[in-house]
Amino acid sequence: MNRDSPIYVAGGETLLGAALRERLRGEGFANLRGVPPDEPDLTSAGQVEDFFSEARPEYVFFAAGKSGGISLNEARPAELMLDNLLATAHILDAARRYGVTKLLYLASSCAYPRKAPQPLRVESLMTGPLEPTNAAYATAKLAGWQLCDAYRRQYGDGFVTAIPANSFGPHDDFSLDRGHVIPALMRRMHEAKVRGEPELPVWGTGRPQREFLCSRDVADGCVFVMQHYGGPQPINLGGGTALSITEAAAAIAEVVGYRGRLSFDNSKPDGMMLKMLDATPLRRLGWRPSVDFRTALAETYVWFLQHAVKEGPEYVCAAI
Ligand code: GFB
């Protein structure tokens, strides 16, 4: 990528899309196309077509598609799956027809089989059943990877897939019924602190473990992958902090300043018990995350205090 290359960040309003735009601008990539609010409706083939025929991006970062936490995945599997399938089909096909040099597709760690050996290696993809709470969304993400692979094989397109760990950061979706664990707990703890509530129920048993990567690191990793990786296999974008939900909740409480007791609501689902990516291939290429978990939590909380209590647009959250 040159500093003046036309670049399109698909899903510019998502957690990762916003971080990517910031990162690219910070690095001097000034020729960004389709920046919100000028982004087409990705579920509309016609709008995507018009956009590509005019904007002619050379590089595409695919951070598009609706996504959300465990509760959204259970409540709206059809919506999540369809939105992601449509955005993927429209963008990949337009990218092929308008000669995009390279496209980086962001899949999700939930695309791994539920019982795959940990840490998760790409060889395990499609070797077993998915976690039922997010099977529909994960199937759309697998389809995205497979479509990239099919375009590579049939047309020789430079479409690459990366699989990021559970991401969080500024521009996340802080709504209680849609957000992932970090933004949702951050908001709930903030509200509990303001109301002086003595106890906060964390969903599930608190025992599941997740690898968390802040959106700044994910964006940095994406730009690195765009410049240094071109293989047919997906590449894991991880190497972050693996914590139990109990540990993550305690860290969030500290950052928010919530001093009440954390209890556990076993009526809520745990989801996958452990999700940790094997980031060895990326480390070998020379990339590892650099932002400390607590620093990233603090940045996220500052952003929340400035923006999110106003309730942003629906589904402003990561495609992971
Ligand atoms: O972040 P989360 O919704 O995503 O939940 P997943 C992670 C864990 O945190 C689960 C627990 O065990 C939740 O039960 N948790 C505790 C909470 N309190 C809360 C809370 O207030 N809100 C939420 N949301 N969780 C998603 C998938 O799974 O991961 C998506 O459903 C996507 O498809 C994403 O792949 C990366 O990691 O369980």
Side-chain angles (χ1 to χ4, degrees):
M1 278 189 315
N2 297 315
R3 293 288 181 267
D4 59 351
S5 304
I7 301 172
Y8 171 43
V9 177
E13 277 185 335
T14 63
L15 163 71
L16 296 183
L20 268 162
R21 283 192 284 117
E22 224 160 87
R23 172 76 197 176
L24 289 163
R25 285 209 177 102
E27 292 253 325
F29 294 100
N31 194 1
L32 300 190
R33 307 281 166 95
V35 174
D38 292 332
E39 190 166 11
D41 173 358
L42 302 178
T43 63
S44 155
Q47 283 197 32
V48 173
E49 175 73 23
D50 292 347
F51 168 72
F52 271 80
S53 77
E54 246 178 60
R56 303 285 174 141
E58 278 177 25
Y59 295 88
V60 175
F61 290 87
F62 188 110
K66 286 179 183 174
S67 73
I70 197 163
S71 137
L72 186 75
N73 275 271
E74 285 201 313
R76 304 201 203 169
E79 215 174 299
L80 288 174
M81 186 168 176
L82 185 63
D83 187 85
N84 278 278
L85 288 173
L86 289 173
T88 306
H90 295 156
I91 290 179
L92 265 56
D93 195 54
R96 175 188 71 81
R97 285 181 291 104
Y98 289 99
V100 163
T101 306
K102 192 163 178 183
L103 177 146
L104 173 61
Y105 176 78
L106 288 178
S108 165
S109 58
C110 69
Y112 279 100
R114 180 166 200 235
K115 294 191 173 157
Q118 304 275 345
L120 299 160
R121 303 178 65 225
V122 295
E123 291 73 16
S124 295
L125 288 165
M126 301 212 291
T127 58
L130 297 163
E131 156 63 34
T133 52
N134 59 32
Y137 172 76
T139 302
K141 284 291 169 187
L142 285 170
W145 158 45
Q146 286 292 298
L147 197 57
C148 286
D149 188 53
Y151 276 109
R152 284 178 73 100
R153 285 186 285 120
Q154 186 171 341
Y155 304 108
D157 286 318
F159 294 176
V160 171
T161 298
I163 304 181
N166 280 39
S167 315
F168 68 99
H171 298 273
D172 215 332
D173 183 344
F174 289 82
S175 58
L176 306 183
D177 53 345
R178 298 190 304 262
H180 288 92
V181 59
I182 290 190
L185 275 183
M186 194 169 268
R187 173 167 168 183
R188 290 171 58 207
M189 285 185 194
H190 173 79
E191 291 177 351
K193 178 181 82 171
V194 171
R195 294 189 202 119
E197 286 166 8
E199 182 177 318
L200 185 125
V202 175
W203 293 0
T205 60
R207 286 200 302 268
Q209 284 177 270
R210 295 289 181 271
E211 177 185 350
F212 294 110
L213 205 57
C214 77
S215 54
R216 249 193 318 136
D217 267 333
V218 178
D220 188 55
C222 286
V223 174
F224 181 90
V225 168
M226 185 64 106
Q227 289 169 316
H228 298 280
Y229 181 71
Q233 287 278 63
I235 189 156
N236 283 336
L237 223 166
T241 317
L243 292 172
S244 71
I245 298 304
T246 305
E247 290 169 323
I252 298 166
E254 210 180 296
V255 166
V256 170
Y258 176 65
R259 308 260 174 267
R261 196 174 78 82
L262 302 180
S263 59
F264 293 92
D265 177 358
N266 290 331
S267 70
K268 299 282 190 187
D270 270 338
M272 224 154 127
M273 283 316 283
L274 174 59
K275 256 193 284 187
M276 237 176 79
L277 298 176
D278 176 10
T280 314
L282 196 53
R283 215 167 30 244
R284 284 210 184 106
L285 288 176
W287 188 87
R288 62 179 65 227
S290 62
V291 187
D292 161 75
F293 180 63
R294 271 155 215 270
T295 306
L297 280 183
E299 279 176 16
T300 307
Y301 188 46
V302 168
W303 191 91
F304 167 77
L305 291 174
Q306 290 168 342
H307 300 87
V309 268
K310 289 178 198 149
E311 274 283 15
E314 223 187 351
Y315 300 116
V316 180
C317 56
I320 56 151

